[in-house]
Amino acid sequence: QRPRIPADLGQGLGRLVQTLKDQLPATADGWGRWTPPGLPPGPRPPEEADVVVVGGGVVGWSVAFWLKALESQRHGMKVLVVERDPTYSRASTVLSVGGIRQQFSLPENVQMSRFSAAFLRNINEHLGVPNEPRIDIQFQPSGYLFLAPPERAAGLEAAVGLQRWGFRTPPSPPWGFGVGGYLILTPRSPREEGAQVALLSPSQLKAKFPWIHTENVAVASYGLQDEGWFDPWTLLQAFRHKATSLGVQSCAGEVRVCPSVCPPARGSPRGSVPPPHSLSPQVHMPDSREYQPVACAIVVNAAGAWAGELLAAAGLPGELCQPPLPIQPRKRYVFSWHCPDGPGFSCPLLVDTTGAYFRRDGITGNYLGGMSPPEEEEPDPGDLSVDHDFFQEQVWPRLARRVPVFESLRPRGAWAGYYDHNAFDRNGVLGRHPRLDNLFVAAGFSGHGLQHAPAAGLAVAELVLRGRYESLDLRRLGWQRLEEGERLDEGGVV
């Protein structure tokens, strides 16, 4: 018979065991919870990786996913994603209105939208994890509706030709949609390969959407398929969960890059220091003075609105900073309101002739909307505070003129998020840096990064792994246009 242990002795032993556990460093299996003073909680960054992706938004995680999905050897590549805001409370991805559309004026943007629409339609084939629940991004296929006044009608019609058939027709209109005359693809019919977009006259517009006031509308374009909105958070988490299941590592912290110095070339003067040709990342951990250098072969700058700031703070010599990465944060407001008599379930995401937009939010008379301010009235991006007067004075009057029932709407709330604004031409910058051998960039999408993330991530992964684009030809979105000063203006930025 086993001897009985006195109750007080058993309790004392239990406390001793717990004390020992608490004094041991934390491990992956949860044994011990003590963290040395000065170190932040959570995993430390590794000392080395093959690829460091700066930015854990949807573009960054898409890059990480595709790198692992395309690698030739299973678990052969070590990929690290670093996100400075692990709560995502200030992340552009989750603060967006979640739209996806085919209606762009640049061929590359239309192609990326077509790819992303197909990817999202079959998302469980790409991002599904065995023995996990199926992914539901809550897609609402209500389409986009663009309205154009008379002076922009030709431009909108040219854009629809591009979206349907893959070509543009001159002349270049004031709206910025027309141009050129080159062929980018040769679909047999719009239903088979091109975007399904309809052009509506004012009378057709009124018949389809009786709640719209058609004054000053010459033509409208309406997306019939693969347009609408979805839940951004679900897509982000799906990319993240799948990438992690494939072996991608992640950590919280702010990345700072510094130049790596190459060995002197033969024949260099003694003592001379050669210019740097690559970048080395350091991960500065949150709430700590600690940082971890990470030796790596490739750095992918997917830092969104702070992509330009990341390079500007690198301390690079002037010749390596040219051309600078013209990406900066722009604050955008999203307002929410209730109108019980407003447009019903068939309400699309409407973009007015004035630039104001709105969409349905659920099916109970709630709506989301906003507009981009004029360039000279850009709000301070230093914080995410909301200027509610902007809705009262700028957004509401425009929407009420277009949808008269909105005159009696009731504001509900608002939030602010960031556009990673490309001040050069409002299009994404993709590809290898012309002078920094190990730096790739995927940023500057100016509000359409969420919907183009699946395509942009694949494109960058192909460049990193294979040295060329294979699925989509996005060479024109590279650095060369910045060096040569050749803008690729997108007329469909909302």
Side-chain angles (χ1 to χ4, degrees):
Q1 184 177 5
R2 297 175 60 185
R4 298 183 60 185
I5 300 176
D8 56 346
L9 178 58
Q11 293 173 358
L13 289 173
R15 288 194 294 270
L16 176 60
V17 170
Q18 187 62 49
T19 299
L20 290 173
K21 284 185 177 182
D22 291 342
Q23 294 299 317
L24 290 173
T27 61
D29 60 5
W31 177 265
R33 294 194 299 269
W34 179 74
T35 301
L39 291 182
R44 285 180 65 90
E47 294 184 358
E48 60 181 23
D50 294 304
V51 181
V52 173
V53 180
V54 184
V58 69
V59 173
W61 277 107
S62 175
V63 172
F65 159 71
W66 283 113
L67 284 170
K68 297 298 288 183
L70 297 180
E71 68 177 349
S72 57
Q73 179 182 350
R74 187 73 167 173
H75 304 301
M77 181 168 41
K78 192 172 183 179
V79 179
L80 173 67
V81 175
V82 186
E83 169 57 41
R84 71 174 184 175
D85 176 20
T87 67
Y88 290 96
S89 60
R90 295 165 56 88
S92 301
T93 298
V94 299
L95 295 174
S96 74
V97 297
I100 179 171
R101 56 188 164 102
Q102 315 296 304
Q103 297 183 64
F104 286 93
S105 69
L106 197 71
E108 288 81 358
N109 287 335
V110 178
Q111 293 176 55
M112 285 195 288
S113 290
R114 299 294 295 148
F115 178 90
S116 293
F119 180 92
L120 296 179
R121 193 183 306 114
N122 302 293
I123 190 170
N124 281 281
E125 297 179 14
H126 299 289
L127 302 184
V129 176
N131 302 318
E132 296 282 348
R134 288 180 62 81
I135 302 164
D136 180 9
I137 61 172
Q138 303 171 44
F139 177 62
Q140 300 292 314
S142 295
Y144 270 65
L145 180 66
F146 282 85
L147 309 182
E151 65 272 18
R152 301 174 186 169
L156 185 58
E157 292 174 1
V160 171
L162 166 69
Q163 296 147 17
R164 285 176 172 175
W165 304 105
F167 62 85
R168 302 190 189 192
T169 55
S172 178
W175 201 23
F177 271 128
V179 345
Y182 59 91
L183 198 65
I184 60 164
L185 47 88
T186 55
R188 287 165 290 182
S189 75
R191 184 172 300 277
E192 291 176 0
E193 297 186 42
Q196 295 192 44
V197 183
L199 282 171
L200 304 178
S201 67
S203 59
Q204 291 173 317
L205 179 64
K206 189 69 174 179
K208 176 68 176 175
F209 304 107
W211 40 267
I212 291 180
H213 184 44
T214 59
E215 181 184 7
N216 199 39
V217 176
V219 67
S221 62
Y222 179 45
L224 303 176
Q225 183 176 306
D226 293 334
E227 292 196 341
W229 53 90
F230 59 90
D231 179 29
W233 176 253
T234 300
L235 180 60
L236 171 62
Q237 291 303 310
F239 267 119
R240 185 179 184 182
H241 189 46
K242 181 64 174 183
T244 302
S245 75
L246 295 176
V248 174
Q249 295 179 280
S250 65
C251 68
E254 182 174 354
V255 174
R256 301 173 191 174
V257 291
C258 56
S260 299
V261 177
C262 300
R266 287 187 178 182
S268 298
R270 189 170 186 177
S272 64
V273 178
H277 295 290
S278 61
L279 293 177
S280 296
Q282 298 176 347
V283 180
H284 291 247
M285 287 163 281
D287 302 320
S288 171
R289 298 181 66 86
E290 289 284 317
Y291 68 90
Q292 174 67 58
V294 182
C296 68
I298 299 292
V299 178
V300 178
N301 182 355
W306 293 271
E309 178 183 301
L310 177 72
L311 286 187
L316 297 169
E319 64 273 13
L320 292 181
C321 297
Q322 300 301 321
L325 187 58
I327 298 173
Q328 53 194 233
R330 291 285 178 90
K331 184 163 68 171
R332 294 291 180 265
Y333 307 123
V334 178
F335 300 96
S336 171
W337 63 89
H338 180 73
C339 184
D341 299 322
F345 189 72
S346 63
C347 175
L349 196 156
L350 182 148
V351 183
D352 188 37
T353 57
T354 62
Y357 73 89
F358 78 94
R359 71 162 172 84
R360 176 175 49 81
D361 183 26
I363 57 175
T364 58
N366 295 323
Y367 303 88
L368 299 176
M371 66 177 289
S372 295
E375 187 79 20
E376 64 276 7
E377 298 178 14
E378 282 288 343
D380 181 5
D383 59 47
L384 288 179
S385 60
V386 175
D387 179 6
H388 293 275
D389 290 339
F390 186 74
F391 179 75
Q392 298 286 338
E393 299 171 2
Q394 302 293 333
V395 180
W396 189 356
R398 288 172 166 84
L399 293 179
R401 282 194 293 269
R402 187 60 63 202
V403 185
V405 72
F406 279 165
E407 292 178 358
S408 58
L409 64 77
R410 179 169 57 86
R412 297 175 63 231
W415 71 85
Y418 289 114
Y419 272 14
D420 54 336
H421 178 75
N422 179 354
F424 181 68
D425 60 11
R426 302 193 296 180
N427 274 303
V429 179
L430 289 170
R432 186 192 294 268
H433 191 279
R435 294 173 181 82
L436 297 166
D437 296 334
N438 71 333
L439 176 66
F440 291 77
V441 176
F445 295 97
S446 303
H448 44 269
L450 173 68
Q451 59 186 298
H452 286 165
L458 172 60
V460 171
E462 288 177 345
L463 279 183
V464 170
L465 296 176
R466 300 167 182 172
R468 63 187 183 277
Y469 292 121
E470 294 184 344
S471 303
L472 297 171
D473 185 357
L474 303 180
R475 287 175 295 177
R476 292 205 309 160
L477 295 179
W479 285 81
Q480 185 175 356
R481 77 184 198 272
L482 304 181
E483 294 184 289
E484 298 176 353
E486 295 183 358
R487 296 160 57 98
L488 294 176
D489 288 307
E490 171 57 62
V493 174
V494 178

